């Protein structure tokens, strides 16, 4: 699926070095889009879903993307932007495209993504992540977290942040592990997922961990995994 989307994007004129906005919640389609863009050397620009149109407009003006892959519910964030909007589901985009490995030369130090900071003290900064940097990040995280093919990570933290996207999701994919994606955080749903999917790892903010512990105290689940 990654290859078909990558080849479909090439057929639409997207080339190595172009930038592309990516706006979606936690989903397999987010990951398909991210890896499809990486395979053809197009730079992903994941958007913080807590931003409004003004913040998104600033990023569009700053990085000058050629287009955007957008989950339909978030399309209003790009109102007025002069961009080609490719809305999910991505299967429609990939229909008819080749599933062969894209024939594109991508350099180790080519930019893979522009990760914009939260902008808490000033305008967001576009941090350039190279393919090599992300590759090293995945290997380092895999070693630190003991990720292997029996590892199962629960991800409710947002994929637009490098911690979930690269340190967890990409590392799991790299090592043959498994990922359980959640759209939003809910402590009861977290406990249910751990029990049902035999989750071995998850991470969250301290207040989230407290909520999970409290929910477990109220209605215990099997957390042996």
């Amino acid at each position: 699926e990654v290859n078909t989307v990558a080849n479909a994007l090439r057929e639409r004129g997207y080339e190595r070095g172009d930038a592309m906005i990516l706006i979606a919640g936690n989903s397999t389609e987010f990951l398909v889009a991210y890896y499809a863009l990486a395979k053809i050397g197009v730079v992903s620009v994941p958007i913080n879903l807590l931003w409004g149109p003004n913040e998104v407009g600033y990023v569009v003006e700053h990085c000058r993307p050629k287009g955007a892959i957008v989950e339909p519910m978030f399309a209003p964030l790009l109102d007025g932007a002069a961009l080609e909007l490719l809305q999910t589901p991505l299967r429609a985009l990939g229909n008819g495209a080749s599933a062969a490995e894209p024939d594109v030369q991508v350099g180790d130090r080519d930019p893979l993504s522009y990760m914009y900071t939260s902008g808490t003290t000033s305008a967001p900064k576009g941090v350039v992540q190279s393919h090599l940097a992300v590759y090293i990040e995945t290997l380092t995280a895999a070693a630190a977290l003991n990720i292997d093919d029996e590892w199962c990570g629960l991800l409710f933290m947002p994929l637009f942040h490098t911690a979930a996207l690269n340190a967890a999701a990409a590392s799991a994919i790299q090592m043959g592990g498994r990922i359980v994606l959640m759209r939003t955080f809910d402590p009861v749903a977290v406990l249910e997922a751990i029990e049902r999917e035999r989750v071995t790892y998850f991470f969250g903010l301290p207040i989230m961990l407290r909520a999970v512990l409290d929910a477990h105290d109220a209605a215990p689940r099997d957390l042996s995994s």
Side-chain angles (χ1 to χ4, degrees):
E1 190 171 356
V2 168
N3 285 348
T4 60
V5 172
N7 287 314
L9 289 169
R10 288 190 71 198
E11 291 171 6
R12 297 180 81 98
Y14 291 91
E15 300 176 346
R16 176 184 176 186
D18 291 337
M20 191 151 198
I21 296 287
L22 178 54
I23 312 179
N26 282 12
S27 60
T28 55
E29 292 196 318
F30 187 112
L31 295 174
V32 167
Y34 181 62
Y35 296 123
L37 294 170
K39 282 199 173 196
I40 60 174
V42 175
V43 186
S44 294
V45 187
I47 294 296
N48 187 325
L49 299 182
L50 300 179
W51 285 347
N54 288 342
E55 289 93 342
V56 177
Y58 169 82
V59 170
V60 170
E61 180 67 23
H62 188 263
C63 72
R64 305 285 180 165
K66 188 171 182 178
I69 295 175
V70 186
E71 188 174 351
M73 66 184 293
F74 300 114
L77 291 174
L78 288 168
D79 281 350
L83 296 173
E84 178 184 30
L85 299 187
L86 305 176
Q87 298 194 23
T88 57
L90 293 175
R91 288 179 180 84
L93 174 65
N95 279 348
S98 170
E101 196 70 30
D103 184 17
V104 180
Q105 179 66 39
V106 180
D108 285 354
R109 298 186 184 276
D110 282 1
L112 187 152
S113 62
Y114 301 146
M115 287 284 190
Y116 277 82
T117 61
S118 59
T120 50
T121 56
S122 62
K125 308 296 191 297
V127 179
V128 180
Q129 292 190 312
S130 70
H131 285 258
L132 179 61
V134 171
Y135 179 63
I136 292 172
E137 182 180 0
T138 63
L139 293 178
T140 303
L145 300 176
N146 296 314
I147 297 176
D148 57 21
D149 58 4
E150 296 182 356
W151 189 90
C152 178
L154 177 64
L155 287 182
F156 50 78
M157 297 298 280
L159 287 174
F160 61 70
H161 192 282
T162 190
L165 180 58
N166 296 319
S171 297
I173 292 170
Q174 172 94 330
M175 305 306 293
R178 194 157 55 94
I179 306 163
V180 178
L181 291 172
M182 290 180 63
R183 293 280 292 187
T184 58
F185 171 74
D186 176 87
V188 174
V190 167
L191 291 170
E192 291 173 347
I194 293 172
E195 184 176 64
R196 182 181 66 252
E197 303 290 344
R198 309 302 296 163
V199 169
T200 62
Y201 173 86
F202 76 93
F203 74 99
L205 302 175
I207 192 171
M208 294 173 169
L209 304 183
R210 180 74 263 173
V212 171
L213 291 172
D214 290 343
H216 181 59
D217 288 341
R221 293 277 185 165
D222 177 7
L223 306 184
S224 58
S225 62

